[in-house]
Amino acid sequence: MIRSVVKGIGAAKPARVVKNADLEGIVETSDEWIVQRTGIRQRYIAGEGETTASLGEAAARAALDNAGLTPDDIDLIILATSTPDNTFPASAVDIQARLGMTHGFAFDMQAVCSGFVYAVTTADLYIRGGMAKRVLVIGAETFSRILDWNDRTTCVLFGDGAGALILEASEGRGLTSDRGVLTANLRSDGSHKEKLYVDGGPSSTQTVGHLRMEGREVFKHAVGMITDVIEASFSEAGITAEDIDWFVPHQANKRIIDASAKKLHLAEEKVVITVDQHGNTSAASVPLALATAVADGRIKQGDLVLLEAMGGGFTWGAVLLRW
Ligand code: ACO
């Protein structure tokens, strides 16, 4: 059977680092509160000229270099983002042009913080369906541009950045020992809209709007939803938590990650944490964390890697892949 195998990974961050202490001058908060409640110590914030498309392009170029490929080798670009440069055209098409690609096709996917997990799942289906041989999957966000910088309950939590992964069609034997994407489980439930949303949009207010979140309500649902979808992945693949080499969760809050890992019996040393460095970068968080753990030598070829995300919608999902 055809498997979608990882060929390369890359990341890009804005130039400017904003430490928790830097936020103390903007809203009434403290480094101590932010670290204790979230685990976040700093985040990167896009400056003038840095946008979702420019960060996505930089991450894409890094992934192409890592894979030893050029844009000519790519058939499809899927960009997971909720903060596109424009309402349309899709920022994926902008990135396609920036890479000098006039062949193939590109589109955006919008599943907020679960966007990258949705995009990897979609790329896998295009590859296994035979419509694409190599897919560039990007998660890129500039959430700083939709934050209400007067609202301390949200503005301290998010950051900007991008990560990119290249998946390529490869022959597998249909076993969990195969390299590539092994299982994918996606879920959504739109009845939770008011707990996490942006209060504007082209068809409702003709504005971009700002992020609104009932943090405690999101927290209450997060662990249950995450563990449910991961348990579905385990039973589908016929594995247990012990078989996982690396757990790479969405980086929203260290307390949510720790509670999920504990409930699933995933050992602490197998959990990749970057929320302290990046904050919550929404659809960019999983590929940024993956790129970090590959660059520092933790994730190696053949490792069993579990990706997970939960976010606005609510949307949530998990992808199990062998690196
Ligand atoms: N600095 C200082 N104090 C603050 C801040 C701040 N930045 N923000 C809130 N507080 C105060 C509150 O006003 C409240 O004060 P009060 O007790 O006097 O009313 C107190 O701190 C506690 O507030 P809570 O909201 O109860 O704090 P909690 O422990 O729940 O932490 C947090 C808040 C970090 C937002 C947490 O609920 C959380 O992480 N939720 C989940 C977020 C998440 O996972 N999102 C994922 C998806 S994101 C996406 O899809 C885009």
Side-chain angles (χ1 to χ4, degrees):
M1 68 177 289
I2 297 174
R3 293 286 196 193
S4 307
V5 171
V6 174
K7 292 301 286 183
I9 181 133
K13 289 168 289 194
R16 183 171 157 232
V17 180
V18 175
K19 306 262 184 203
N20 289 348
D22 300 329
L23 298 174
E24 290 172 6
I26 299 173
V27 285
E28 201 184 323
T29 191
S30 64
D31 176 52
E32 191 195 353
W33 189 95
I34 300 170
V35 172
Q36 194 202 10
R37 302 280 174 146
T38 71
I40 298 167
R41 293 184 181 277
Q42 63 169 47
R43 74 284 296 138
Y44 292 81
I45 300 290
E48 210 177 318
E50 288 176 322
T51 67
T52 292
S54 78
L55 293 167
E57 177 199 359
R61 289 190 185 282
L64 286 164
D65 282 350
N66 181 247
L69 297 171
T70 73
D72 287 346
D73 300 313
I74 302 298
D75 306 316
L76 164 63
I77 300 172
I78 306 176
L79 170 66
T81 190
S82 298
T83 47
D85 287 22
N86 298 85
T87 301
F88 77 79
S91 291
V93 176
D94 192 346
I95 292 171
Q96 181 190 23
R98 288 165 181 258
L99 294 175
M101 272 174 71
T102 50
H103 68 278
F105 62 114
F107 60 87
D108 287 0
M109 286 199 81
Q110 214 270 50
V112 203
C113 298
S114 309
F116 189 75
V117 169
Y118 270 60
V120 167
T121 304
T122 306
D124 178 48
L125 291 171
Y126 273 99
I127 288 172
R128 287 195 289 121
M131 252 184 103
K133 194 167 182 299
R134 285 193 203 92
V135 184
L136 176 57
V137 188
I138 307 168
E141 301 276 20
T142 44
F143 260 51
S144 65
R145 306 250 155 88
I146 56 163
L147 294 174
D148 175 351
W149 285 97
N150 296 310
D151 176 10
R152 68 174 181 174
T153 69
T154 53
C155 76
V156 304
L157 303 175
F158 294 89
D160 303 331
L165 189 72
I166 296 169
L167 292 173
E168 182 183 81
S170 169
E171 236 1 272
R173 290 184 300 161
L175 305 172
T176 42
S177 55
D178 288 350
R179 287 188 64 208
V181 176
L182 301 175
T183 70
N185 283 278
L186 303 181
R187 307 263 189 277
S188 66
D189 181 351
S191 67
H192 297 284
K193 179 182 169 184
E194 77 290 349
K195 297 184 184 84
L196 178 51
Y197 67 104
V198 170
D199 63 2
S203 188
S204 55
T205 60
Q206 299 82 56
T207 62
V208 173
H210 292 111
L211 182 145
R212 305 293 172 204
M213 178 165 75
E214 293 172 26
R216 214 178 297 183
E217 283 298 311
V218 178
F219 202 124
K220 239 167 52 188
H221 287 83
V223 178
M225 287 174 162
I226 290 164
T227 50
D228 177 55
V229 80
I230 289 174
E231 275 161 3
S233 306
F234 285 174
S235 78
E236 207 178 309
I239 61 160
T240 68
E242 283 190 5
D243 298 309
I244 299 295
D245 293 305
W246 298 106
F247 177 42
V248 186
H250 171 47
Q251 309 283 321
N253 183 316
K254 190 169 181 305
R255 285 191 295 152
I256 296 177
I257 297 172
D258 289 347
S260 311
K262 195 168 168 213
K263 199 166 166 201
L264 289 157
H265 306 293
L266 284 157
E268 209 178 318
E269 60 275 14
K270 294 178 170 182
V271 184
V272 176
I273 306 261
T274 52
V275 69
D276 55 327
Q277 296 299 305
H278 303 151
N280 180 348
T281 57
S282 185
S285 96
V286 170
L288 270 172
L290 270 176
T292 302
V294 170
D296 67 21
R298 274 179 287 174
I299 297 179
K300 294 184 214 56
Q301 192 170 312
D303 284 353
L304 193 57
V305 180
L306 176 65
L307 314 181
E308 161 277 304
M310 183 267 177
F314 292 149
T315 56
W316 65 107
V319 163
L320 184 69
L321 65 88
R322 192 170 294 283
W323 202 260

